[in-house]
Amino acid sequence: MRNGFLILSAFFLVSCGGAGIMENVPVRVVSAEKEVSANADTSLLAQFTEVGNCLDIQIVNDTILVLMDQVSDMDNYHFKAYSTNSSEYLGSFLQYGRGPGEMISPRFASASSSERYLTIKENAAGRAFSVDVESSIRTNRTVTVEQVDLPEDVLDWFPLPDSEGFVLQLENRRLLYRKLGRDGAAVWSVSPYNGIDAVRCMPHLSSVLVLNGETGMIAEVMLFLPQVNIFDTADSTIRSVAVDKDYRQWRSLTGKMLGPETVQYYVCAAASPDFIFAAYRNAQLADLSKGSDMSIHIFDWSGRFLCDLKVSENIVAMAYDTLNSCLYAIEQTAHHIVRYNLNGLL
């Protein structure tokens, strides 16, 4: 049993930017190997008229695009499904409620598009489920193939290979990252933000976690620092990279409340077995809702900054279609779904 993460010190001695917000984890400043502009794919046929207010996006079984919809009196289904091949609307599933096969506040557990089942978590209820989307639509009931009971005080959870899990918890005013074995017991845990009052600084430490379902690696894309942290749950290591030297300003960030002038760097993220996609704005909170150009930073799982993809849309959520090399996204300004064809780019 490992008691914590081993730090890749030797790796970071080269091109190392110095100490950052994570204790004992040096940060490597990286620059994009190439910069490319991309336009939304006009060949996307679906209009997604069945979705009233799209909240999140995921791809499952390589062929099904799942959109999380805001439930209403007229439509109490959380999810709408579409074919990534034909753009055909496939149907709705998972109703709002507390009855059998229903949920109040489900969320996606980010995973690779090749996963056969959709993993959904409901933190308030302390449960996570693997859902067979096609069977659920066909039978008009929620078909679950596995259920996991989540630990107490869990903030986030992801399934790992071999029926293990990765959780983010709040304990004694600290953020703890834990790997859980098949029996639910902690295999190891680490508090990388040790010394920071996580209750007071929770907004400052906000991030998006995405999973590499094949290797069990987790990428933490920080919102208020230009920094991406990569957890290798197999060998208990952390790597950290930054795209701007502003990551060094973490002390001043955590020393004051967030306000309209606070800069948000990253907005959302997605992942595949090969890549991490992180939408980058580098704008003050007061300006985030304004339509303006942004970038999608593409990293590999070693932290290499492969590409700075310039887009004109205001992206708030993403999912990557590994089979067709297409990145789907929710565009906030016009509130519709866009797609970028990345064939030949990566």
Side-chain angles (χ1 to χ4, degrees), residues 290 298 340:
K290 299 177 182 178
I298 305 175
Y340 305 100

Side-chain angles (χ1 to χ4, degrees), residues 28-297:
R28 184 166 56 105
V29 179
V30 293
S31 299
E33 297 181 6
K34 60 182 174 181
E35 183 178 305
V36 181
S37 296
N39 296 318
D41 186 356
T42 57
S43 67
L44 179 61
L45 300 177
Q47 298 298 311
F48 306 105
T49 55
E50 297 81 5
V51 179
N53 181 20
C54 191
L55 303 175
D56 207 351
I57 186 170
Q58 184 68 280
I59 296 173
V60 64
N61 207 17
D62 275 333
T63 58
I64 304 173
L65 177 69
V66 180
L67 303 181
M68 183 175 179
D69 199 3
Q70 183 174 331
V71 297
S72 66
D73 293 337
M74 301 294 295
D75 185 348
N76 70 339
Y77 283 93
H78 288 288
F79 301 114
K80 308 295 193 300
Y82 297 82
S83 167
T84 57
N85 294 322
S86 65
S87 298
E88 175 189 2
Y89 174 59
L90 303 178
S92 305
F93 65 100
L94 189 59
Q95 289 182 292
Y96 176 91
R98 296 196 181 278
E102 298 176 342
M103 290 189 193
I104 298 294
S105 55
R107 293 171 54 207
F108 293 132
S110 175
S112 170
S113 65
S114 61
E115 295 295 324
R116 182 177 180 183
Y117 302 117
L118 181 69
T119 302
I120 298 170
K121 52 198 173 185
E122 192 174 30
N123 288 359
R127 303 173 300 176
F129 301 88
S130 293
V131 176
D132 186 325
V133 174
E134 292 168 290
S135 296
S136 296
I137 293 172
R138 185 175 62 252
T139 62
N140 197 32
R141 64 182 182 87
T142 305
V143 179
T144 59
V145 295
E146 185 178 6
Q147 177 178 333
V148 176
D149 293 326
L150 302 181
E152 294 184 3
D153 301 321
V154 65
L155 301 176
D156 215 340
W157 169 89
F158 292 91
L160 296 180
D162 300 323
S163 300
E164 295 181 320
F166 182 87
V167 295
L168 171 61
Q169 290 177 281
L170 182 64
E171 185 176 290
N172 297 325
R173 305 185 74 90
R174 297 185 305 157
L175 283 182
L176 286 177
Y177 296 80
R178 284 193 167 114
K179 180 179 179 180
L180 306 179
R182 293 185 181 183
D183 59 357
V187 177
W188 47 249
S189 63
V190 63
S191 179
Y193 303 111
N194 197 26
I196 296 177
D197 185 338
V199 175
R200 181 181 65 83
C201 296
M202 187 67 72
H204 309 77
L205 300 176
S206 297
S207 63
V208 180
L209 298 176
V210 291
L211 169 71
N212 184 331
E214 291 187 1
T215 65
M217 298 178 78
I218 303 280
E220 179 187 37
V221 178
M222 305 194 74
L223 302 189
F224 297 107
L225 291 170
Q227 186 170 336
V228 177
N229 308 311
I230 301 172
F231 298 79
D232 191 327
T233 64
D235 64 10
S236 308
T237 57
I238 308 175
R239 291 175 173 150
S240 187
V241 297
V243 298
D244 192 291
K245 292 181 180 179
D246 283 354
Y247 80 90
R248 297 172 178 169
Q249 299 179 13
W250 64 270
R251 287 187 178 85
S252 61
L253 171 70
T254 56
K256 58 186 178 182
M257 295 182 63
L258 301 184
E261 74 289 347
T262 302
V263 174
Q264 181 169 339
Y265 295 92
Y266 287 107
V267 178
C268 60
S272 76
D274 296 314
F275 308 112
I276 301 163
F277 303 88
Y280 186 77
R281 273 297 299 273
N282 191 8
Q284 293 183 345
L285 290 177
D287 298 327
L288 276 184
S289 61
K290 299 177 182 178
S292 63
D293 292 351
M294 70 186 307
S295 292
I296 298 172
H297 290 175

